[in-house]
Amino acid sequence: MNSNTQFCRKYKTKQKMKSTKANSTSKFSALVTLLLILVTTFSFSQTASKTAAVTDSVTMTKEKQQNITPQQALQKLKDGNNRFVSGKLLDRNLNDQVKATANGQFPYAIVLSCVDSRTSTELIFDEGLGDIFNARIAGNFINTDILGSMEFACKVAGAKLILVVGHNKCGAIKGACDNVELGNLTHVIDEIKPAVDNVKNIDGERNSHNDDFVQAVAEENVRLAIKEISEKSSILNEMEKKGEIIIVGAMYDLGTGKVTFLQN
């Protein structure tokens, strides 16, 4: 083999190696570019998502309260409960909300619920400071004090929604089903007894050992509360007729965290 032939072969081998190296470098560069695009897109998506969450979690203002409709207020609570159940809660800075609400509050709803420690309204609806009024009493029934609080919340402070929330396995409801008498609790039980009397078509015992009966009484108790709000408060009745507020009932499930809204 002459020297020219050897030179040509060595030259071709070097060129092939250079070509292979160039292809590898090109593929690597393309891969790096693709990764940068993916990282940038993901970062933008995360930023947009975080921005949306921050926007949704902004404390209620007078302008936002005035512009929200009763139906939108209801949907906000439904959306909040969906976040609570799914574990996708809004990112709030409660310290900032303390400062933002120090000189005024503009809640969009008032929620009447039971005193049960597992039914905290702000938690189960994923709300922050200044978003909703919260009235609580064992058995979530209506009395003069609660009605007065609702009139203040809606007529004076501008809330657009009244929501009455009962829950399953309620101790006060069970007490009413069993006709319990115990100190001042007896008066509470007496307020719930009309719901017990109204429930007729449930098979089995009419006491706390019958889960279906207890659930039916709890739901009837919510419906009676809604009815009493309209009947016993001329102020709220008028606001409801004008479409300024809506009055809605719901049941909270202790086992799932889900709120089911009742048909009136």
Side-chain angles (χ1 to χ4, degrees):
M1 184 180 295
N2 59 39
S3 59
N4 287 335
T5 301
Q6 289 179 338
F7 175 79
C8 288
R9 286 185 175 179
K10 288 182 179 179
Y11 178 78
K12 288 180 179 179
T13 301
K14 288 182 178 179
Q15 289 298 102
K16 188 175 182 180
M17 291 176 64
K18 287 182 178 180
S19 177
T20 302
K21 185 175 181 180
N23 288 337
S24 298
T25 302
S26 177
K27 290 180 180 179
F28 179 75
S29 298
L31 180 61
V32 170
T33 301
L34 178 60
L35 288 173
L36 288 174
I37 292 173
L38 290 174
V39 169
T40 302
T41 302
F42 178 76
S43 298
F44 176 80
S45 175
Q46 290 294 95
T47 301
S49 177
K50 187 173 182 180
T51 300
V54 170
T55 301
D56 288 342
S57 63
V58 172
T59 304
M60 286 295 295
T61 63
K62 184 175 182 179
E63 181 181 6
K64 288 177 66 176
Q65 184 203 54
Q66 288 177 339
N67 290 335
I68 194 172
T69 68
Q71 287 297 337
Q72 288 173 336
L74 177 60
Q75 188 60 50
K76 276 181 67 68
L77 289 184
K78 289 181 177 180
D79 292 343
N81 181 245
N82 287 336
R83 292 193 302 271
F84 175 72
V85 173
S86 66
K88 299 178 181 178
L89 305 179
L90 295 181
D91 184 17
R92 289 184 174 84
N93 187 320
L94 295 179
N95 288 330
D96 286 348
Q97 289 194 320
V98 168
K99 298 174 184 176
T101 58
N103 294 319
Q105 59 171 340
F106 305 98
Y108 67 87
I110 177 169
V111 181
L112 169 62
S113 62
C114 183
V115 296
D116 192 291
S117 63
R118 300 162 291 181
T119 62
S120 298
T121 303
E122 286 83 0
L123 295 180
I124 67 175
F125 290 110
D126 188 28
E127 296 297 333
L129 296 178
D131 289 337
I132 55 178
F133 287 108
N134 189 357
R136 303 185 70 176
I137 189 169
N140 46 269
F141 61 87
I142 295 297
N143 61 20
T144 303
D145 299 327
I146 296 294
L147 275 179
S149 298
M150 289 179 171
E151 290 172 350
F152 166 77
C154 296
K155 190 66 176 180
V156 179
K160 305 294 182 67
L161 166 68
I162 297 176
L163 179 65
V164 181
V165 183
H167 67 94
N168 62 327
K169 302 178 182 179
C170 177
I173 297 295
K174 288 183 177 181
C177 291
D178 292 339
N179 199 29
V180 169
E181 294 184 4
L182 178 65
N184 292 306
L185 181 60
T186 303
H187 173 70
V188 173
I189 298 302
D190 288 342
E191 294 288 343
I192 303 172
K193 282 183 179 180
V196 177
D197 296 335
N198 282 0
V199 174
K200 305 294 183 181
N201 300 319
I202 299 295
D203 294 333
E205 299 177 303
R206 293 176 60 84
N207 56 41
S208 63
H209 297 294
N210 186 342
D211 292 339
D212 290 339
F213 181 65
V214 172
Q215 182 70 13
V217 172
E219 292 181 8
E220 177 64 15
N221 187 55
V222 169
R223 291 190 174 93
L224 284 179
I226 294 172
K227 182 181 178 183
E228 288 186 47
I229 293 170
S230 295
E231 290 180 347
K232 294 184 177 181
S233 171
S234 58
I235 291 175
L236 298 175
N237 182 276
E238 182 181 9
M239 292 184 74
E240 184 181 25
K241 288 180 178 178
K242 290 182 177 179
E244 297 172 348
I245 63 170
I246 56 175
I247 306 172
V248 182
M251 289 293 295
Y252 175 74
D253 191 302
L254 296 175
T256 66
K258 182 67 177 175
V259 174
T260 301
F261 292 82
L262 305 178
Q263 296 294 326
N264 291 342

